[in-house]
Amino acid sequence: MGDSGDAVMARWLQSAGLQHLAASSTSSSSASTAGGGVDPRGGGGVGVGALGGGAGGGSLLPSLLMQGYGPQSIEEKQRLYMLLRSLNFNGETAPPSISEPYTPTAQSFGGGNSLEGFYSPELRGELGAGLLDLHAMDDTELLSEDVASEPFEPSPFIPKEMDEDDDDMLPGSQPGPSDNYNAVANEKESTARENNVAKIKVVVRKRPLNRKEVSRKEEDIITVHDSSSLTVYEPKLKVDLTAYVEKHEFCFDAVLDEQVSNDEVYRETVEPIIPIIFQRTKATCFAYGQTGSGKTYTMQPLPLRAAQDMVRLLHQPVYRNQNFKLWLSYFEIYGGKLFDLLSDRRQLLMREDGKKQVCIVGLQEFEVSDVQIVKEYIERGNAARSTGSTGANEESSRSHAILQLAIKKHIIVTDTRRQRDRDANESKNTKAVGKISFIDLAGSERGADTTDNDRQTRIEGAEINKSLLALKECIRALDNDQIHIPFRGSKLTEVLRDSFVGNSRTVMISCISPNAGSCEHTLNTLRYADRVKSLSKGSNTRKEQPTGPTIPSSKDSSSAPSYPMPIETEEIANQIQEKRPVETSRKAAENFTSNSSMEPDRNPVSMIPSYSNRGKEENGSSGLNDRERVDLNSSRISYNSKPQSVQSSANLQEEEKVTKVSPPRRKAYRDDKPERQSNYAKKDSGPETSRPGYKVQQAKQLQQQQRPTSASASQNSSRQSEKESSCDDVEIDAILEEEEALIAAHRKEIENTMEIVREEMNLLAEVDQPGSLIDNYVTQLSFLLSRKAAGLVSLQARLARFQHRLKEQEILSRKKSSR
Ligand SMILES: Nc1ncnc2c1ncn2[C@@H]1O[C@H](COP(=O)(O)OP(=O)(O)OP(=O)(O)O)[C@@H](O)[C@H]1O
């Protein structure tokens, strides 16, 4: 990486007001390069190149990060750090080789000084085996000890803790003008942030090979390409025992490789959510993956880290003045039962209140004002867990642990009697603002543990499977805006119910082991993640792009056929885009993968024309939000080896198939209604009678004919008729809206059914495998069938309502005509 890279680097520095560093560092860099000093990880120019879009300052940056040459003051350090972060946020991958050596300490930012304990290595040691440790395995000792002991840096995005001087502002005191200014700025900032945080985010984390795996000479079969895609190289044997490798490619919101620190995991997953917890958001962060894949290792530091940021935010005048407080609770779900880990494993009961809010009766919640206390509670909870599992690690491995951090607004009670009551029952005088739940799920493969013949153990396994399935089902249902959300599918989802409804955010961290021996589990984990991800896209786009369907930009349409589409096909494509505006890049990438893989497509439903899949595959990137565009672009980059023409023709084929399966009905928007209505008015005979909307239109026409038009009609009757006519219009509009909703629901139902069928086929394929568990099959099939039934029932109910509505309308218009 040469001078051009340094020139780019110098420009960046200039943009951040750090141009003076460029000069000093260039001289140092030449010195260090001469001495063989390049990128600390040996990535050297390559790493920096990635950061700078291929022209980074290969020699300049490392020297910038060197003591004595780089930024001297805290402010400079912050600016440089922000510069690096902003490059990273812009979708360009900052490789660990760059971000890690610079990881500033708590001291370097002058923040977090009250959190000495938080950074201490003992803390990690103390928590290492305990927190959310569901089923630790001793054969997963890893080579890189340093990763585990890496300290967190304070988040530059969460305001620093208040200075001592600030603290003399009494709670509840009136904010000054600058506070107001800050409050408004904070409000704006957090609204912007809220919009930027995806509703469902799926992050994959790969752990390094552990000692045992290395000693067994197991291969690392996972390659992380960039920050959002990875390939699994599955070793396979043909029938004639020839070895071959099958490639599986996946794209997610973020893919973190074995070099990524826990701090970066926090920044990628939880950190962006923290400020919006203060804005009435309920968030859930869970780790999923097989035993030993790093769930606990990943989840363990997150609550503490989040608490640190939350405490910092609580000290902001805007929240302090509102009397916001942080509360903590910690419990586990084992065998469908709830146990309070902060209250001697007392069994808890779950109830629903009048407002359908889930209450965990008896769950102890503790107000926490600093991280040290949070740490102590977590340790206490862990101790309760390990006590509960003495002699049998199995127990903890079959439980889900849930740690909740809630922000509550304390209501100040002036009345003395009520004050006394308040002291007696503190939580009654609080109002929930937002919360984040950290869940360390039981190992995903436990449910399918074929070596366990013990019936109880198998039932527990089935219970775990059920909850994992239920979790996915809920995310899916929420994403589809389904009326029926199957929260009751498991205790886990019931408990999390309030975290999923309303303004919610979900982060799923899929942990994967890199060794060949775990390949099957890894693929299962990635497929689960993939399904969750495929659910998230539509929802995010729908909710975050309220402006409706977007016209594909020239950039976006790059993957679409370059020749004009037949109008009908175009309409259908639009229609599908509205349904599922994204999911494309990944699906397209997978298609490409399966094409390029050495084994024929094993997807049992690949022959079934899937309406939803078509949509996913063909709809380009129209309607994507920025983040999704970045995803798409990055996946395009990673798959650009596929010739464009092949993609285009593939797209065309897809569209041709779509023409056959989907009715050429254009989805109407609100703005379209007048046009649609007038079109209906024009076509009032023949085959059109069978078209949806015809009946309604007919009724409207009838009413129009019946409206008094004669000039001789009295003024009164004309006013009356005007009134009637506007009522009719409202009525008709309402019916048209219902009609649209019905059709949309029907379309959604078809998509769901196809998805269920796909899962049923997978289930059948799984049950045919030797050693498969019939219990799992039964549980999963029963779940799928209930979902199918629930979908049909809900569609039927909607249809019946609409029929009823039409009947009413018909009777009404008949009555009017007979008047
Ligand atoms: N990214 C990582 N970097 C370094 N070490 C890791 C990483 N991920 C996991 N480990 C180590 O791997 C071992 C197993 O991890 P961990 O206990 O977190 O797995 P788990 O998925 O929680 O397993 P279980 O389901 O059995 O509880 C631990 O020793 C942990 O320190």
Side-chain angles (χ1 to χ4, degrees), residues 133-137 140-142 144 147 205-208 290-297 443:
D133 195 356
L134 297 171
H135 27 91
M137 281 197 357
T140 42
E141 219 182 319
L142 295 189
S144 50
V147 184
R205 186 184 199 187
K206 172 195 173 190
R207 70 155 168 79
Q290 74 171 117
T291 293
S293 58
K295 296 185 298 297
T296 306
Y297 182 87

Side-chain angles (χ1 to χ4, degrees), residues 128 132-145 147-148 205-208 210 257-260 262 265 288-300 393 396-397 440-446 511-512:
L132 306 179
D133 195 356
L134 297 171
H135 27 91
M137 281 197 357
D138 52 3
D139 85 332
T140 42
E141 219 182 319
L142 295 189
L143 287 171
S144 50
E145 238 87 283
V147 184
R205 186 184 199 187
K206 172 195 173 190
R207 70 155 168 79
N210 64 34
D257 67 16
E258 61 272 41
Q259 312 281 357
V260 166
N262 277 335
V265 173
Y288 175 85
Q290 74 171 117
T291 293
S293 58
K295 296 185 298 297
T296 306
Y297 182 87
T298 300
M299 289 304 294
Q300 174 210 309
N393 194 31
S396 75
S397 71
D440 190 357
L441 291 173
S444 59
E445 80 301 346
R446 287 295 170 130
C511 297
I512 51 172

Side-chain angles (χ1 to χ4, degrees), residues 684-790:
D684 57 354
S685 64
E688 292 298 332
T689 52
S690 62
R691 193 187 50 201
Y694 171 76
K695 270 200 162 202
V696 178
Q697 191 53 40
Q698 214 181 22
K700 186 159 185 167
Q701 273 180 280
L702 199 64
Q703 282 160 12
Q704 272 165 1
Q705 286 158 16
Q706 287 154 6
R707 276 174 205 156
T709 50
S710 155
S712 62
S714 72
Q715 246 188 1
N716 259 357
S717 75
S718 109
R719 234 180 271 133
Q720 173 70 16
S721 69
E722 260 172 38
K723 234 191 217 168
E724 272 179 17
S725 125
S726 78
C727 282
D728 290 343
D729 277 349
V730 171
E731 178 75 357
I732 296 290
D733 277 351
I735 293 183
L736 278 172
E737 255 173 43
E738 273 180 42
E739 181 201 304
E740 291 303 335
L742 172 70
I743 292 161
H746 184 195
R747 203 171 279 139
K748 211 173 265 180
E749 180 50 33
I750 292 176
E751 282 182 18
N752 289 346
T753 311
M754 297 308 252
E755 177 63 24
I756 294 172
V757 169
R758 202 160 68 87
E759 285 180 33
E760 280 183 66
M761 301 286 273
N762 283 339
L763 201 55
L764 281 175
E766 263 169 41
V767 79
D768 283 343
Q769 298 290 318
S772 69
L773 269 190
I774 195 70
D775 274 13
N776 293 338
Y777 171 77
V778 169
T779 319
Q780 295 190 24
L781 181 59
S782 137
F783 205 92
L784 287 175
L785 294 182
S786 1
R787 224 177 83 205
K788 221 194 238 178

Side-chain angles (χ1 to χ4, degrees), residues 1 4 122 146 204 219 274 322 359 367 383 482 513 541 557 611 674 778 783 816:
M1 202 63 56
S4 67
E122 307 92 72
D146 55 324
V204 171
E219 255 185 90
I274 298 298
Q322 290 182 73
C359 320
E367 195 203 315
Q482 249 169 248
S513 310
T541 314
S557 60
Y611 181 74
V778 169
F783 205 92
K816 278 182 191 155

